[in-house]
């Protein structure tokens, strides 16, 4: 019946439907909060076996689709340790897909172009209070495999969650950010509440001539510690200073009794 062979691109395509749960539902003694800090999912071992037989190219990237809401995003895979028929997603990813616990998600393998540019919009002005938000964002993106325009991703910094909307990606609306040279978060940041972000002054270089060196103690002996209370030179005393020099207990005492002999 089928005279035309199936194209190779479709032969190597992985497409499966799973019931998805947030990482907090993952059973086991180990804390998997690291999954919440990135853009990768946990899939069952059978997925790895099928992907190996399909000769899927690395890195393994996937398109996730919620057919009920027509929402989609892209991700990488962290491990293949989930129960069969189940996959675990970061909470922010489930929010983007409008998925509830146990909802169905379509997982398909994809090949994405490498990112050259991305633009983000913080969802809270608190993110711009960070000393170097660009460095924080670039470090957090190391836990992501790809970005999708329109997603609201979540990153963790100093035990606090910051949400950022992916406003734009180039050269496509979904890009891979694994081992890429990408311009991210370019330009100056503006707070959503209208306040100007404080700019820390750059440190002033020290002139070598301003560095004062102390006089070494040539009488130093091992095992002895010398405490120098005041290393500044003492002012010379004048004749007036010597005359008015304070001498302890040099004054005359005063009695509360009136002077005179005692009555017999």
């Amino acid at each position: 019946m089928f005279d035309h062979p199936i194209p190779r691109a479709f032969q190597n395509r992985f497409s499966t439907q799973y019931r998805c749960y947030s990482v907090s539902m993952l059973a086991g003694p180990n804390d998997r909060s690291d999954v919440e800090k990135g853009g990768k999912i946990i899939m069952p071992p059978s997925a790895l076996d099928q992907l190996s037989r399909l000769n899927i190219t690395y890195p393994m990237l996937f398109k996730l689709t919620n057919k009920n809401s027509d929402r989609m995003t892209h991700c990488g895979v962290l491990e293949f340790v989930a129960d069969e028929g189940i996959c675990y997603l970061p909470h922010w990813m489930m929010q983007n897909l409008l998925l509830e616990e146990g909802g169905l998600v379509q997982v398909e393998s994809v090949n994405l172009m490498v990112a050259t540019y991305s633009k983000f919009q913080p969802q809270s002005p608190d993110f711009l209070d960070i000393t170097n938000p660009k460095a924080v964002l670039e470090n957090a993106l190391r836990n992501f495999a790809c970005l999708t325009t329109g997603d609201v991703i979540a990153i963790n910094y100093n035990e606090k969650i910051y949400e950022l909307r992916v406003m734009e990606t180039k050269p496509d609306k979904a890009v891979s950010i694994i081992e890429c040279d990408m311009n991210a978060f370019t330009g100056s940041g503006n707070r959503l509440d209208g306040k100007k972000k404080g700019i820390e002054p750059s440190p002033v270089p020290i002139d070598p001539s301003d560095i004062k060196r102390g006089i070494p103690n040539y009488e130093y002996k091992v095992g002895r510690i010398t405490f120098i209370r005041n290393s500044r030179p003492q002012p010379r005393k004048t004749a007036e200073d010597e005359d008015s020099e304070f001498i302890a207990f040099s004054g005359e005492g005063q009695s509360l009794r009136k002077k005179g002999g005692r009555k017999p």
Side-chain angles (χ1 to χ4, degrees), residues 23 33 39 50-51 87 100 105 110 113 133 147 171 183 189 235 243 263:
V23 181
S33 59
Q50 187 176 354
L51 288 165
C87 67
E100 297 182 354
V105 61
V110 292
M113 301 178 67
L147 294 172
N183 295 322
D243 295 339
K263 294 182 178 180

Side-chain angles (χ1 to χ4, degrees), residues 102-114:
L104 293 176
V105 61
Q106 188 73 26
V107 182
E108 304 173 72
S109 60
V110 292
N111 294 322
L112 299 178
M113 301 178 67
V114 178

Side-chain angles (χ1 to χ4, degrees), residues 15 17 65-71 99 104-106 108:
S15 180
Q17 196 173 55
T65 306
N66 180 2
K67 294 183 177 180
N68 293 331
S69 62
D70 199 26
R71 300 289 291 269
L99 283 169
L104 293 176
V105 61
Q106 188 73 26
E108 304 173 72

Side-chain angles (χ1 to χ4, degrees), residues 17 25 38-39 88 93 106 110 112 115 151 153 175 231 244 260 264:
Q17 196 173 55
M25 305 291 289
Y88 295 95
M93 196 176 292
Q106 188 73 26
V110 292
L112 299 178
D151 276 0
I153 66 173
V175 292
S231 60
S244 61

Side-chain angles (χ1 to χ4, degrees), residues 33-257:
S33 59
D34 56 327
V35 183
E36 291 288 356
K37 299 179 182 179
K40 300 178 182 179
I41 66 175
I42 296 179
M43 301 173 67
S46 60
L48 177 60
D49 180 64
Q50 187 176 354
L51 288 165
S52 301
R53 288 187 281 106
L54 292 173
N55 295 321
I56 298 296
T57 58
Y58 288 86
M60 293 183 181
L61 303 176
F62 301 93
K63 175 183 177 182
L64 306 183
T65 306
N66 180 2
K67 294 183 177 180
N68 293 331
S69 62
D70 199 26
R71 300 289 291 269
M72 67 89 180
T73 187
H74 298 80
C75 67
V77 58
L78 185 64
E79 293 180 358
F80 296 90
V81 295
D83 294 334
E84 292 301 329
I86 294 175
C87 67
Y88 295 95
L89 279 64
H91 181 66
W92 66 264
M93 196 176 292
M94 294 189 64
Q95 287 184 318
N96 282 313
L97 294 172
L98 302 179
L99 283 169
E100 297 182 354
E101 301 290 345
L104 293 176
V105 61
Q106 188 73 26
V107 182
E108 304 173 72
S109 60
V110 292
N111 294 322
L112 299 178
M113 301 178 67
V114 178
T116 58
Y117 172 84
S118 62
K119 182 179 179 181
F120 300 86
Q121 181 185 61
Q123 300 300 287
S124 169
D126 295 341
F127 184 74
L128 295 179
D129 290 334
I130 300 175
T131 303
N132 193 341
K134 181 179 179 182
V136 171
L137 177 59
E138 290 177 347
N139 184 64
L141 289 178
R142 296 176 182 177
N143 297 319
F144 289 73
C146 45
L147 294 172
T148 305
T149 300
D151 276 0
V152 177
I153 66 173
I155 65 174
N156 187 305
Y157 178 70
N158 280 350
E159 303 301 324
K160 187 173 182 179
I161 302 297
Y162 296 93
E163 293 184 337
L164 299 98
R165 181 177 296 277
V166 183
M167 301 297 293
E168 184 181 2
T169 56
K170 294 180 181 179
D172 204 349
K173 291 186 177 181
V175 292
S176 168
I177 60 172
I178 298 177
E179 298 181 356
C180 72
D181 185 11
M182 176 181 62
N183 295 322
F185 207 71
T186 57
S188 59
N190 295 316
R191 295 175 57 101
L192 299 180
D193 56 7
K195 297 181 180 179
K196 293 184 178 180
K197 182 180 181 293
I199 301 175
E200 296 184 355
S202 57
V204 179
I206 300 176
D207 191 344
S209 61
D210 294 337
I211 301 176
K212 297 181 180 180
R213 301 184 181 277
I215 301 175
N217 184 6
Y218 295 105
E219 299 180 357
Y220 170 75
K221 293 182 180 180
V222 178
R224 185 178 68 180
I225 301 176
T226 304
F227 294 94
I228 302 175
R229 299 294 182 183
N230 191 352
S231 60
R232 292 179 293 182
Q234 298 295 330
R236 293 183 180 181
K237 294 183 179 180
T238 63
E240 295 179 359
D241 294 334
E242 292 179 356
D243 295 339
S244 61
E245 184 177 0
F246 172 76
I247 301 175
F249 304 105
S250 61
E252 295 182 358
Q254 300 292 332
S255 176
L256 297 177
R257 292 181 180 179

